[in-house]
Amino acid sequence: MKNKSLAILMRARMASPTHPVHRQQLLHPDRPPLPPQGATCSGDADDDGSSTGARRVSLKDVKELMRASFSIPTDKTEPMDANLEEFSQAYLGLSQEGRRELLLGLARDYDVNRARVCELMRQYLSVELPHSIDSNAADVNQENRVLEDGGILAVFYRMERNLRDALKPMYAGFFERLNAHPGGLKLLTVLRADLLSQLAKENVPSLRALETYLKEKLITWLSPASLELHQITWDDSASLLEKIVAYEAVHPIRNLLDLKRRLSEGHRCFGYLHPAIPGEPLIFIEVALLKDVATSIQEVLWDSPPTPEFEATCALLYSISATQPGLSGINLGKFLIKRVIHLLRRDMPHISIFATLSPIPGYMHWLLPKFASQIKLSKLETEDMKHFSEKGSGSNFIEDLLLPEEKEMILSGYLKWLQSGTASEIEFDKSECMDTREHDSGKDVMEIMYKLLTSREWNKSDILSEALKPPLLRLCARYILKEKKRGKALDVVANFHLQNGSMIERLNWMADSSDKGIEQSGGIMVNYVYRLDRIDEYAQSYLNTGHIHASSSLHQYLEDMFFLAATLTDECDHGSNL
């Protein structure tokens, strides 16, 4: 064990928050992934895109190797293997600019032969259908019988096959050969990571088509049937454990004791491996076996001793991480979660609850700009009411994000905090925030809350934390349940679990008090629950209509808000009638 510990310690970069891999998370599929670590050589780039580091690679030579890979007959396997091996090594030696040039050449020079497609389409359209076939008929079987009787069905089959072949880009065969070559699948993930990185900078249609085609092929090649589910334990090789440490993207592993604890009694870790990328999980999930659904990550990772496994009733899925940036957007996690739940049910029938303790990474990214915009609009309206009335649009955009009792709590808590002697911890112009009960408290309290949240120090004060808790929880419920993009949950983690068939069970206050947790979600985490008899129903409902299944406690946050809003409206109407 000592040798293994030393090996991991020497080779793994333990819990570095700035580690590039830690920033590449499965739960952020919409963000452009970083290039795989170690895939590029150090040094500046020459004009031809090669690297001036220890290993010089000519872009011209790499293009020639790629061109040769297209032209080698498929029956000559040895030259093909040698050529693909040379290309793989040479590509990894290119600078980022060199890779961009090569990928642009691949996308443009080996695209679909559209002249050939147009010619085949003209031939196809020149064949006249028998008059007995109704062009609006939907009975394909009847149509085929008429064509077969006329002897032209075989002609259509041949022409359609030729069209399908012609619509394939020329780089399709190159990808197929690479996938069949040892180490080729890994290189294909590197190619796609480079494509995604480049597309984040410039949306070139030919590169987008290349990336889309490669993604579709990777989805096929990485079907669940081709993946091996492996339980990762302390007895695994040091190189495998090193990768778990390096790629853990949700809760960084702090040291060897932390790693060993996550793999020992009361815990499980499972990963998907592929034969073409041995010894390296494509994605892995960490599980804690508990007596009940956890309400904070501290009790899962640090505070509490492990629950004896025979007493556990809950399997808590608390971290899921991808290891290949080039597989971003390919939902391997969906299949992994279902396989892990099936395995745990089989081996531990006393486990009846399958839940997560998940981050809410987009919450503060949504909330803070919303506060900022509302504060700005309020100031503009106050300064120039006439201007907004002439435009006829000012008040339409203003939204009171805080309820009256929340404003009172925030203001009261803020004034107590100012008097407590700890206010110096946050740089704050106290003259800006007098007792706002003397004038327009709505705008001022919103500004107080915004400044406290952006200071990222508010959580260190019990007074402020207690004052901000109700509005932060209520607005978080609104964010998860109501804020959507293209009909689906705006938060990427919520979207991931909901499309996999979970429901939202509970919001947990100060469940992650780390700097990252405060910055992302104000320390709030959420429990998603997988109800085994409803997984498929919930998944289909969400995918088809965007409907989000959630517990009554989540809906209560919104119901309280709507009830208060309706009450205030009635009071205003009553006052106007008087």
Side-chain angles (χ1 to χ4, degrees):
M1 185 176 70
K2 183 177 180 181
N3 290 339
K4 175 179 289 186
S5 299
L6 287 173
I8 301 171
L9 188 62
M10 292 294 291
R11 294 159 57 182
R13 302 173 67 177
M14 305 298 296
S16 170
T18 58
H19 194 299
V21 178
H22 286 151
R23 297 194 297 268
Q24 175 57 44
Q25 299 183 15
L26 170 70
L27 302 178
H28 295 284
D30 57 328
R31 294 185 183 179
L34 296 169
Q37 192 175 11
T40 59
C41 294
S42 59
D44 300 325
D46 289 335
D47 293 338
D48 66 350
S50 62
S51 170
T52 60
R55 179 184 177 190
R56 294 182 63 90
V57 180
S58 165
L59 177 59
K60 182 179 179 181
D61 290 342
V62 184
K63 285 185 174 180
E64 180 58 31
L65 287 169
M66 183 175 70
R67 187 198 63 78
S69 298
F70 281 87
S71 59
I72 295 177
T74 55
D75 58 334
K76 296 184 178 180
T77 56
E78 290 185 7
M80 171 67 73
D81 289 343
N83 193 76
L84 288 174
E85 182 64 29
E86 284 188 60
F87 169 78
S88 300
Q89 295 300 321
Y91 180 83
L92 295 177
L94 286 174
S95 67
Q96 287 301 312
E97 181 57 29
R99 294 185 186 191
R100 174 185 176 276
E101 289 299 319
L102 185 132
L103 291 172
L104 277 171
L106 178 63
R108 291 170 176 170
D109 299 340
Y110 299 95
D111 200 357
V112 172
N113 186 339
R114 291 180 178 82
R116 172 67 174 158
V117 171
C118 289
E119 175 59 29
L120 289 172
M121 289 178 67
R122 278 193 291 268
Q123 294 178 16
Y124 191 82
L125 294 173
S126 68
V127 180
E128 294 187 7
L129 291 170
H131 296 295
S132 56
I133 293 181
D134 183 358
S135 60
N136 296 320
D139 191 342
V140 177
N141 289 331
Q142 180 182 357
E143 180 182 284
N144 281 347
R145 284 196 297 271
V146 173
L147 291 173
E148 195 161 27
D149 291 342
I152 60 172
L153 185 59
V155 174
F156 274 108
Y157 281 144
R158 183 175 66 255
M159 297 175 74
E160 288 158 1
R161 183 178 65 250
N162 291 338
L163 258 176
R164 283 194 298 270
D165 291 341
L167 284 167
K168 269 185 173 181
M170 287 181 277
Y171 48 67
F174 177 59
F175 289 158
E176 295 281 354
R177 294 166 191 162
L178 265 179
N179 181 55
H181 178 71
L185 181 60
K186 176 74 173 179
L187 181 66
L188 287 169
T189 67
V190 175
L191 287 172
R192 183 163 180 263
D194 290 338
L195 283 166
L196 290 171
S197 179
Q198 191 57 45
L199 285 167
K201 303 172 187 174
E202 52 176 345
N203 189 15
V204 181
S206 57
L207 284 181
R208 177 65 65 189
L210 178 66
E211 184 277 322
T212 299
Y213 184 85
L214 182 52
K215 178 183 178 181
E216 292 171 353
K217 298 307 293 184
L218 287 170
I219 290 173
T220 301
W221 293 329
L222 295 173
S223 66
S226 67
L227 300 173
E228 172 195 349
L229 182 66
H230 175 70
Q231 181 177 343
I232 300 163
T233 70
W234 184 253
D235 294 328
D236 276 305
S237 67
S239 62
L240 178 59
L241 297 184
E242 169 199 346
K243 291 178 174 64
I244 298 300
V245 173
Y247 289 120
E248 165 56 67
V250 185
H251 304 292
I253 297 172
R254 300 173 297 166
N255 50 47
L256 290 171
L257 290 178
D258 187 14
L259 172 64
K260 190 170 184 181
R261 187 174 189 269
R262 298 192 195 196
L263 302 177
S264 60
E265 175 76 12
H267 296 80
R268 295 288 188 276
C269 182
F270 298 93
Y272 259 150
L273 281 78
H274 192 281
I277 310 178
E280 183 167 356
L282 304 182
I283 184 173
F284 61 91
I285 189 170
E286 296 173 72
V287 184
L289 304 175
L290 307 170
K291 290 183 180 180
D292 201 357
V293 180
T295 59
S296 77
I297 196 62
Q298 287 81 11
E299 64 184 279
V300 176
L301 294 179
W302 304 301
D303 294 344
S304 304
T307 300
E309 293 191 1
F310 67 89
E311 295 182 5
T313 61
C314 170
L316 190 83
L317 318 174
Y318 65 88
S319 178
I320 182 165
S321 303
T323 68
Q324 308 298 319
L327 300 183
S328 176
I330 298 175
N331 194 355
L332 298 178
K334 170 184 178 180
F335 304 112
L336 179 59
I337 287 174
K338 289 186 175 181
R339 286 283 302 278
V340 167
I341 289 176
H342 174 77
L343 187 64
L344 291 173
R345 284 186 70 195
R346 185 195 69 189
D347 296 343
M348 308 183 75
H350 53 285
I351 298 289
S352 58
I353 302 172
F354 296 90
T356 79
L357 183 61
S358 300
I360 314 170
Y363 178 37
M364 283 298 168
H365 292 294
W366 167 79
L367 183 63
L368 292 177
K370 202 163 188 66
F371 267 112
S373 65
Q374 292 303 311
I375 292 168
K376 184 176 180 180
L377 284 171
S378 295
K379 286 183 177 180
L380 288 172
E381 186 181 51
T382 302
E383 292 169 0
D384 194 355
M385 289 291 293
K386 182 180 178 181
H387 171 75
F388 272 96
S389 62
E390 288 174 354
K391 295 290 184 181
S393 60
S395 60
N396 290 339
F397 293 104
I398 295 178
E399 177 186 6
D400 205 345
L401 296 173
L402 300 173
L403 303 179
E405 66 267 30
E406 292 171 348
K407 295 175 186 176
E408 288 294 324
M409 286 185 64
I410 293 169
L411 181 58
S412 175
Y414 174 68
L415 294 175
K416 288 180 183 177
W417 173 71
L418 286 179
Q419 298 164 5
S420 68
T422 61
S424 59
E425 294 179 9
I426 298 178
E427 291 186 6
F428 210 101
D429 186 354
K430 299 177 187 178
S431 64
E432 292 182 7
C433 300
M434 301 176 291
D435 189 341
T436 54
R437 282 170 289 195
E438 296 178 1
H439 50 90
D440 182 11
S441 65
K443 171 174 72 77
D444 292 336
V445 173
M446 246 194 323
E447 192 162 358
I448 290 172
M449 184 168 178
Y450 175 75
K451 288 190 175 182
L452 290 173
L453 291 176
T454 52
S455 73
R456 298 177 187 172
E457 296 287 333
W458 59 271
N459 60 300
K460 297 178 182 178
S461 165
D462 292 339
I463 296 173
L464 292 178
S465 182
E466 193 62 28
L468 297 183
K469 178 179 177 179
L472 284 179
L473 283 173
R474 178 182 58 79
L475 290 168
C476 187
R478 166 185 162 176
Y479 169 69
I480 290 182
L481 290 173
K482 296 297 182 182
E483 298 299 323
K484 296 189 176 183
K485 179 180 179 181
R486 300 190 186 96
K488 302 297 186 294
L490 179 62
D491 188 77
V492 292
V493 177
N495 182 56
F496 171 76
H497 285 295
L498 292 169
Q499 70 179 347
N500 293 342
S502 70
M503 66 168 290
I504 308 174
E505 180 65 25
R506 180 176 62 199
L507 294 178
N508 301 293
W509 179 249
M510 282 299 147
D512 183 0
S513 57
S514 68
D515 291 342
K516 180 181 177 182
I518 298 298
E519 180 182 352
Q520 285 188 340
S521 61
I524 302 171
M525 298 186 79
V526 58
N527 297 123
Y528 298 96
V529 173
Y530 285 87
R531 303 196 183 283
L532 304 183
D533 57 338
R534 311 296 290 275
I535 287 178
D536 291 336
E537 175 192 340
Y538 288 173
Q540 284 302 118
S541 174
Y542 177 72
L543 291 171
N544 292 338
T545 67
H547 178 69
I548 295 174
H549 293 270
S551 67
S552 58
S553 65
L554 260 292
H555 286 294
Q556 189 64 45
Y557 287 110
L558 302 185
E559 289 171 5
D560 291 344
M561 179 181 67
F562 292 141
F563 174 77
L564 181 62
T567 302
L568 292 174
T569 302
D570 290 342
E571 290 175 354
C572 292
D573 291 342
H574 180 65
S576 63
N577 291 333
L578 293 175

